[in-house]
Amino acid sequence: MATPQRYTVTAALPYANGPVHIGHLAGCYLPADIYVRYLRQQGRDVQFICGTDEHGVAINLKAQAEGCSPKEIVDRYHEVIRKGLEGIGCSFDIFSRTSKAIHRETAQDFFTKLYEQGSLVEKTTEQYYDTQAESFLADRYIQGTCPNCGFEEAYGDQCESCGSSLSPMELKNPVSRLSGGRPERRETTHWFLPLDHLSGKIEQYIRAHGHWKPNVYGQCMSWLQSGDGLQARSMTRDLDWGVPVPLPQAEGKVLYVWFDAPIGYISATKELLGERWTDYWQREDTKLVHFIGKDNIVFHCITFPSMLMEHGDYHLPDEVPANEFLNLEGRKISTSRNWAVWLHEYVADFPGKEDALRYCLCANAPETKDNDFTWKDFQNRNNNELVAVLGNFVNRVLVLLNKYYDGKLPEVQAPTAAEEQLQKARRQAPDRVAAALERYRFREAQLAMMQLAREGNKYLTEEEPWKTQKTDPSRTEAIMHEAAQTAALLSQLMEPFLPFAAARLRGYLQLDLIPWEKLSDGDLLPAGHRVEKGDLLFEKVSDEAVEAQKQKLEEPAPAEEKHPPLKEEMDFETFTQQDLRVGTITAAEEMPKADKLLKLSVNLGFEQRTIVSGIRQHFDAAHLPGQRVTVVANLAPRKLRGVESQGMILMAENADGMLHFVAPPAEAENGAVVR
RNA sequence: GGCGAGAUAGCUCAGCCGGUUAGAGCGCAGCACUCAUAAUGCUGAGGUCGAGGGUUCGAGCCCCUCUCUCGCUACCA
């Protein structure tokens, strides 16, 4: 594309079933905000679009678990998320929500266009419906007896015992894995986006963007070229929470959440701009940039572009600068285990230190690979870089200006070699920052900004105005003029990264935000200009604050009752059909070609069994012999990865996903009946 | 197991199309300085660029094999 006339920048719509954490911020919202602030300073025409994604099954399930309506869930998290993101300085032009009427209309119009022009493939099938859970069941959520081999726990799509592929209707005695109840057959119709037919065009589109980051490009090509290639995807669901499918024959159906979510970008733009929204989505001279985390790559690079392509009126995404993931203190961020730094909590715990988090996350942004955030590093970055380098330089300048000149900027004088060096650094800094940002290299851009502060410190230390003040006061004037210009430029370059401190500094300097192209021109402050002494730009983070945050991480997850609902009642007869026995593991080895399976030998007293169990992630095979276990002994044998598994080991699973053996005490002999 | 991405200084990371003595920030050691939040500046120590082979006049970069990490996916509880 030649120089774009305008920019549409989106940040992934956060899903409204929980708050946002620093991983989301580092991967998506922060880089997006930095980029947008920079574009605005450039005077470019840009709209920064975001909002919450409020549909889909997960929100339904969360509402059920908490005994409230989906609406209550999304209302709650919309606010938490919005406050967190805005609190950290994300400067959205709009932060909307997909539950709004304008979104429903936009998404429906989009669907209708695809439908009317025949882009969607309609398929009617008979599917199982769980009357208790009130939902249709995906193939995988149905279990029953295999018609070919009689295996009783075959899934709706495949029998794991004999390997034959099935359709749910072929199963005998189908059972819903959701409620455990017996599902009934109902006919249902869905509309599919034929990605399989579009794969040629999509591949062409991806190949035309070979400059995308390796992780993004590689992931896309992998999907295009893997095995069966792209599959037609259903764009509708049988559900009551979402955007209703705008067809008379589609009662009780909604658009698939991944169909409606990206359209949320479009509807939010409409809400913001009215008629003018088409400029930002349909004109070829607009640059469309999606900031996302790596989990969203396929949807933004393949599914969404396919939708836009089929629709026909739209410009396709130009850039998808997806980041990798951020770890926390060496471990993966985990929402369920509460191993996370929640954005809204940070904003509450560190008032006035919004920039510190922004700085640290940008410096450590997972641009090319997963990265680690530690509180110690956060403290170091804040204390040794923000405070010691940037804040300190600014403070030195403001203090000296006020001490010697009562805040009135002295006259310029003929530059010495030292001034020329600093002036050169000032001329180059805006270009360096800009060049890095244009390439989505945020760490490098922020470093270039900091480099100017280092130059400033070096200049002051070497020129020593506090000495010349005693020997040659006019020389001090020259030095302070130069130093002040450097602080002024910093107040501009800081803006994308550290907007809070930048605004404060501009306040002390009595300076407005200046268009980017004028930043390299020379002096930003005229001689005689008055500056205030101001306050410290940044404060240190104490050891105590760091310790407190680490402590907080160690606290167990808030006891949110997450126990799964009880299954359907069964009669005593059914219960007595299962034969549980005490056993002891005598040998354990890893199954080849499987990441989760262990092959166990179990002594049941009267016989030795081979049992394949999916617990490899949780236990080391070498430590298992001798482990006491409870075994379902009369379970039909089943082949897993070529090995017949003769029974099942009972495990207790905690809310955090950890597995624990249901181990009989030593007094219980092998083979003893459990009931 | 399949696919994708990564492995570079104590730590966190750069390294464009293969080209001289492999870089930055932090940390560490020494020196200088005192305007500044014991802040700053300078100097220095530190790397068999995951391992092994290959292509090349020349490989951190290209090719092959292997190991480990992360993600998607498959096999589970």
Side-chain angles (χ1 to χ4, degrees):
Chain A
M1 186 193 306
T3 43
Q5 289 305 301
R6 65 195 77 70
Y7 290 75
T8 306
V9 177
T10 72
L13 304 186
Y15 197 55
N17 74 337
V20 164
H21 57 64
I22 56 168
H24 300 124
L25 188 61
C28 171
Y29 305 103
L30 182 59
D33 186 61
I34 292 171
Y35 186 64
V36 166
R37 284 174 182 270
Y38 158 74
L39 290 179
R40 291 195 190 114
Q41 260 181 291
Q42 283 274 9
R44 317 263 183 96
D45 180 353
V46 51
Q47 302 296 343
F48 186 17
I49 308 296
C50 197
T52 40
D53 174 10
E54 306 190 351
H55 293 138
V57 198
I59 282 169
N60 244 6
L61 292 175
K62 177 123 186 160
Q64 273 171 26
E66 296 194 11
C68 64
S69 69
K71 178 72 176 153
E72 286 175 74
I73 296 284
V74 300
D75 283 350
R76 185 198 317 161
Y77 288 115
H78 173 79
E79 272 311 297
V80 174
I81 293 168
R82 188 185 60 74
K83 282 183 185 158
L85 288 173
E86 289 177 0
I88 207 73
C90 289
S91 57
F92 305 119
D93 289 298
I94 185 168
F95 191 78
S96 187
R97 26 197 324 192
T98 61
S99 58
K100 288 193 174 181
I102 192 166
H103 174 68
R104 191 178 62 237
E105 287 160 23
T106 307
Q108 289 181 335
D109 288 352
F110 199 109
F111 182 89
T112 303
K113 169 105 195 281
L114 294 188
Y115 176 79
E116 286 178 351
Q117 68 190 20
S119 298
L120 299 174
V121 177
E122 182 176 320
K123 289 183 193 166
T124 299
T125 50
E126 208 171 44
Q127 289 202 357
Y128 278 114
Y129 182 84
D130 185 325
T131 49
Q132 200 177 339
E134 292 185 345
S135 71
F136 278 92
L137 297 165
D139 293 355
R140 203 71 193 178
Y141 281 98
I142 299 157
Q143 220 166 33
T145 304
C146 173
N148 300 329
C149 70
F151 176 59
E152 290 177 7
E153 289 179 33
Y155 294 123
D157 54 349
Q158 192 186 6
C159 172
E160 303 293 347
S161 182
C162 65
S164 57
S165 60
L166 306 168
S167 84
M169 293 302 147
E170 297 177 66
L171 290 178
K172 298 171 190 164
N173 305 319
V175 171
S176 164
R177 291 173 71 196
L178 280 186
S179 68
R182 186 165 297 262
E184 58 183 56
R185 290 171 172 228
R186 287 194 190 177
E187 263 202 351
T188 184
T189 301
H190 286 289
W191 290 270
F192 291 70
L193 187 64
L195 293 182
D196 44 343
H197 298 160
L198 296 172
S199 63
K201 281 165 77 178
I202 296 167
E203 183 164 349
Q204 205 179 353
Y205 163 71
I206 300 294
R207 283 190 188 282
H209 294 84
H211 65 281
W212 283 353
K213 291 166 63 167
N215 59 338
V216 177
Y217 190 78
Q219 182 91 204
C220 291
M221 294 313 277
S222 161
W223 272 77
L224 284 166
Q225 292 167 349
S226 72
D228 313 330
L230 299 178
Q231 301 294 313
R233 288 185 78 101
S234 171
M235 293 292 126
T236 53
R237 288 288 186 275
D238 289 294
L239 204 69
D240 59 357
W241 178 246
V243 174
V245 176
L247 297 172
Q249 67 273 37
E251 189 79 18
K253 295 177 198 297
V254 296
L255 299 179
Y256 176 40
V257 65
W258 266 110
F259 181 84
D260 98 66
I263 293 175
Y265 299 138
I266 300 170
S267 42
T269 313
K270 255 187 193 174
E271 181 183 346
L272 176 66
L273 299 175
E275 296 289 298
R276 289 199 301 132
W277 75 272
T278 52
D279 287 353
Y280 292 85
W281 282 94
Q282 303 191 336
R283 292 182 56 156
E284 284 305 312
D285 52 3
T286 295
K287 185 160 175 172
L288 175 56
V289 184
H290 293 307
F291 283 89
I292 56 170
K294 70 172 162 183
D295 50 334
N296 270 340
I297 289 173
V298 174
F299 290 102
H300 282 81
C301 297
I302 293 178
T303 314
F304 188 45
S306 303
M307 289 163 54
L308 297 175
M309 235 179 242
E310 271 307 282
H311 186 285
D313 294 344
Y314 284 88
H315 176 69
L316 301 181
D318 296 290
E319 298 289 344
V320 186
N323 273 342
E324 302 283 311
F325 284 157
L326 188 71
N327 292 326
L328 172 58
E329 300 285 355
R331 281 162 51 184
K332 267 186 264 191
I333 291 179
S334 161
T335 307
S336 58
R337 292 175 205 178
N338 204 30
W339 192 256
V341 177
W342 301 105
L343 191 50
H344 62 288
E345 292 185 6
Y346 176 89
V347 170
D349 289 354
F350 292 94
K353 286 201 171 61
E354 297 82 6
D355 285 334
L357 184 64
R358 289 176 67 108
Y359 182 78
C360 181
L361 291 182
C362 180
N364 272 340
E367 284 176 5
T368 55
K369 62 179 177 186
D370 289 358
N371 216 338
D372 198 29
F373 174 93
T374 65
W375 280 109
K376 189 66 192 164
D377 182 65
F378 166 78
Q379 184 191 30
N380 283 337
R381 295 261 182 206
N382 181 75
N383 295 1
N384 301 333
E385 297 181 32
L386 275 189
V387 173
V389 176
L390 180 53
N392 186 223
F393 170 67
V394 167
N395 187 237
R396 295 169 88 180
V397 174
L398 293 178
V399 165
L400 289 175
L401 283 172
N402 276 278
K403 192 168 174 179
Y404 298 153
Y405 316 113
D406 201 23
K408 196 173 155 193
L409 191 65
E411 294 292 329
V412 206
Q413 299 188 21
T416 67
E419 275 81 70
E420 276 167 7
Q421 190 185 334
L422 186 58
Q423 284 167 8
K424 186 178 171 195
R426 283 215 306 277
R427 273 197 308 279
Q428 291 178 342
D431 290 345
R432 289 208 174 133
V433 172
L437 288 178
E438 296 281 357
R439 293 162 69 203
Y440 309 101
R441 300 168 73 129
F442 299 95
R443 316 165 58 114
E444 187 182 322
Q446 186 174 253
L447 202 66
M449 180 273 291
M450 285 298 285
Q451 197 52 42
L452 183 63
R454 289 177 203 283
E455 288 286 340
N457 274 322
K458 179 183 166 76
Y459 176 74
L460 282 185
T461 301
E462 288 177 354
E463 299 310 308
E464 302 180 302
W466 48 91
K467 276 191 180 169
T468 58
Q469 181 66 1
K470 294 168 192 159
T471 57
D472 180 5
S474 78
R475 175 61 192 148
T476 303
E477 290 186 7
I479 297 167
M480 290 318 299
H481 181 91
E482 207 57 35
Q485 300 299 346
T486 306
L489 180 56
L490 277 169
S491 79
Q492 306 292 320
L493 297 182
M494 282 161 66
E495 169 67 17
F497 312 98
L498 312 166
F500 297 90
R504 257 180 279 143
L505 178 54
R506 288 196 303 272
Y508 305 153
L509 294 172
Q510 314 267 356
L511 185 66
D512 289 331
L513 204 52
I514 295 166
W516 197 278
E517 74 267 18
K518 294 192 175 154
L519 295 181
S520 301
D521 286 357
D523 292 356
L524 301 178
L525 297 172
H529 184 83
R530 282 212 175 264
V531 304
E532 294 171 6
K533 182 156 174 281
D535 283 327
L536 295 174
L537 225 40
F538 305 103
E539 283 184 346
K540 290 198 170 185
V541 170
S542 67
D543 291 344
E544 290 72 35
V546 166
E547 272 314 305
Q549 289 299 325
K550 284 170 132 178
Q551 280 293 314
K552 196 170 176 177
L553 276 178
E554 298 299 337
E555 286 167 14
E560 212 174 309
E561 289 297 326
K562 274 189 174 171
H563 300 296
L566 286 178
K567 292 181 181 172
E568 209 171 59
E569 186 177 282
M570 68 176 173
D571 52 32
F572 185 70
E573 200 58 19
T574 311
F575 166 70
T576 54
Q577 279 174 23
Q578 64 177 346
D579 193 338
L580 303 179
R581 299 297 180 110
V582 171
T584 303
I585 296 176
T586 55
E589 60 179 292
E590 296 177 348
M591 288 277 287
K593 300 185 179 185
D595 290 351
K596 298 185 184 174
L597 302 182
L598 286 180
K599 182 175 152 191
L600 308 172
S601 293
V602 180
N603 181 358
L604 287 185
F606 53 93
E607 68 179 35
Q608 195 77 16
R609 292 277 185 98
T610 297
I611 296 178
V612 178
S613 186
I615 57 174
R616 186 162 150 188
Q617 291 183 316
H618 299 83
F619 300 98
D620 184 351
H623 296 150
L624 287 180
Q627 173 68 48
R628 306 275 287 159
V629 294
T630 306
V631 174
V632 183
N634 63 335
L635 192 62
R638 167 174 170 184
K639 267 198 173 178
L640 293 170
R641 290 274 155 199
V643 175
E644 189 176 79
S645 178
Q646 304 157 327
M648 197 172 108
I649 309 276
L650 292 189
M651 306 294 300
E653 180 176 1
N654 287 350
D656 63 5
M658 293 304 288
L659 297 182
H660 303 276
F661 287 102
V662 178
E667 302 80 57
E669 298 168 353
N670 285 343
V673 176
V674 178
R675 59 181 168 222

